[in-house]
Amino acid sequence: MLFRLNQAAQVHVLAARGDQAAFAEIVQEHQAMVFSIALHFLRNRAVAEELAQDVFLHLFRNLNEIQSPGHLTNWLRRVTSHRCIDQSRQQKYRPKVGLEAAPEPSMVPRTADPFLTEMLDRLIRTLPEKPRMVIILRYQEDMEPTEIAETMNIPVGTVKSILHRALALLRGKRERERKEARA
Amino acid sequence: MNDFETQLRQNLKRKQPPMGFTQKVLLQTATPKRHLRRWILATVAAVFSLAGGLELYRYQQGQFAKQQVMLALRITSEKSHVAQMKIDQINQRRILQ
């Protein structure tokens, strides 16, 4: 564990000095996290990929600001979540419908219920920006409310309340959709 | 954690970006074309503005010098006219005496 931590710190130092291979290692380590936050939030693969690339470019230009590997992860989550919310607000004025709006059978695990998976995806998409991001950070990144509060720059109490209300809203919508499907 | 939260976690699992993602990022960091182009455009604009400003300054200086010369010529002309008048008056007085 300590060895891995030291190795990550060394990679970070090398990347800050302009080492391309070290920076590539950082990108490879964090690309799934950055891309998935953007994809789950925006539901458009092309836009999510573009946004993730921009986040890493921004990181490349600001590597000197990063103090540790832990700081790097938090920095990436913060920048990605803020950019996603900004992008979503811009898209409201020029809406784009991506292929990701449709269910992706190849990406759904065989054990999961495809109907439930698709329905949950759709329900998450209907949430307003902040609750949607809180849900993604909580359940994709497994972050605690205190960490989410720090990342999104909002009070912890607000995060807890958003989380509680968003879950209640999602549960309610799911129940309604289930009843409608049965009827 | 209840079933609903487990399902949420399952839905929001991390996904890998498309193939070649890292290469695309590295390519952009290696050739920051957009920035280079911006810098070139800014430099050219600055050079042109400076040259234009210098030219304007020179033109204004020339105009000022021209006005000064014209004023000096006008004053000289008036003074010489007055002197000529006085000489003529003296000559007329001499002739009358």
Side-chain angles (χ1 to χ4, degrees):
Chain A
M1 180 69 185
L2 191 66
F3 174 71
R4 269 199 71 185
L5 208 65
N6 284 340
Q7 203 181 15
Q10 275 178 352
V11 167
H12 167 243
V13 170
L14 285 171
R17 285 181 191 158
D19 187 320
Q20 283 273 313
F23 183 66
E25 211 172 303
I26 288 177
V27 175
Q28 275 165 353
E29 194 187 332
H30 295 96
Q31 62 185 18
M33 175 186 80
V34 173
F35 174 71
S36 299
I37 293 175
L39 180 65
H40 288 140
F41 188 86
L42 300 164
R43 310 303 308 172
N44 184 312
R45 191 165 271 267
V47 179
E49 190 188 350
E50 201 179 316
L51 190 139
Q53 280 183 24
D54 276 350
V55 169
F56 282 111
L57 268 181
H58 190 54
L59 169 70
F60 183 75
R61 293 188 195 117
N62 295 279
L63 267 174
N64 289 328
E65 281 178 23
I66 311 295
Q67 291 147 11
S68 65
H71 183 211
L72 172 66
T73 308
N74 290 339
W75 189 94
L76 284 170
R77 282 172 176 160
R78 193 174 61 245
V79 172
T80 310
S81 56
H82 285 286
R83 289 201 174 198
C84 280
I85 291 171
D86 287 347
Q87 176 78 29
S88 177
R89 284 176 183 161
Q90 282 171 14
Q91 273 185 339
K92 274 185 183 168
Y93 300 100
R94 45 182 179 81
K96 283 180 188 173
V97 179
L99 283 174
E100 285 68 31
E104 295 174 63
S106 61
M107 292 176 75
V108 177
R110 293 203 183 279
T111 49
D113 175 357
F115 175 72
L116 194 63
T117 304
E118 196 272 325
M119 186 172 70
L120 260 181
D121 272 348
R122 195 155 28 83
L123 293 179
I124 293 168
R125 226 181 300 146
T126 61
L127 288 173
E129 282 113 4
K130 275 188 183 171
R132 204 185 330 159
M133 187 51 80
V134 168
I135 290 282
I136 290 167
L137 294 178
R138 178 80 184 103
Y139 294 102
Q140 182 198 299
E141 292 304 307
D142 215 8
M143 287 167 75
E144 291 299 322
T146 46
E147 294 173 301
I148 298 173
E150 208 176 300
T151 302
M152 293 184 68
N153 207 18
I154 48 177
V156 187
T158 311
V159 172
K160 284 180 181 169
S161 132
I162 286 177
L163 205 54
H164 182 74
R165 273 187 287 150
L167 283 175
L169 195 73
L170 288 175
R171 276 199 190 101
K173 281 185 176 181
R174 185 186 63 164
E175 287 311 310
R176 237 176 292 142
E177 290 217 0
R178 271 183 172 175
K179 277 177 192 169
E180 279 170 20
R182 275 185 211 139
Chain B
M1 190 179 299
N2 56 40
D3 284 351
F4 184 67
E5 286 179 291
T6 311
Q7 183 66 40
L8 264 178
R9 210 173 286 270
Q10 181 74 27
N11 267 49
L12 296 172
K13 262 186 179 172
R14 282 185 183 177
K15 287 166 182 130
Q16 284 296 332
M19 290 280 283
F21 178 85
T22 312
Q23 282 69 29
K24 280 182 197 169
V25 173
L26 291 180
L27 203 69
Q28 288 186 60
T29 57
T31 51
K33 279 179 191 167
R34 273 189 291 180
H35 282 263
L36 190 68
R37 212 176 296 153
R38 263 186 224 160
W39 271 106
I40 291 170
L41 279 173
T43 311
V44 169
V47 167
F48 271 102
S49 316
L50 197 70
L54 261 172
E55 197 55 42
L56 185 69
Y57 177 73
R58 274 189 202 157
Y59 174 76
Q60 281 174 343
Q61 289 286 87
Q63 286 295 315
F64 182 69
K66 188 179 161 185
Q67 280 172 1
Q68 293 279 348
V69 170
M70 294 300 283
L71 185 68
L73 282 174
R74 206 179 305 134
I75 292 166
T76 312
S77 165
E78 279 170 14
K79 293 278 178 191
S80 62
H81 182 68
V82 171
Q84 187 62 48
M85 293 256 289
K86 282 192 175 171
I87 290 167
D88 287 348
Q89 280 174 358
I90 292 165
N91 283 341
Q92 273 182 348
R93 263 186 236 147
R94 271 186 192 164
I95 291 165
L96 288 172
Q97 280 171 357

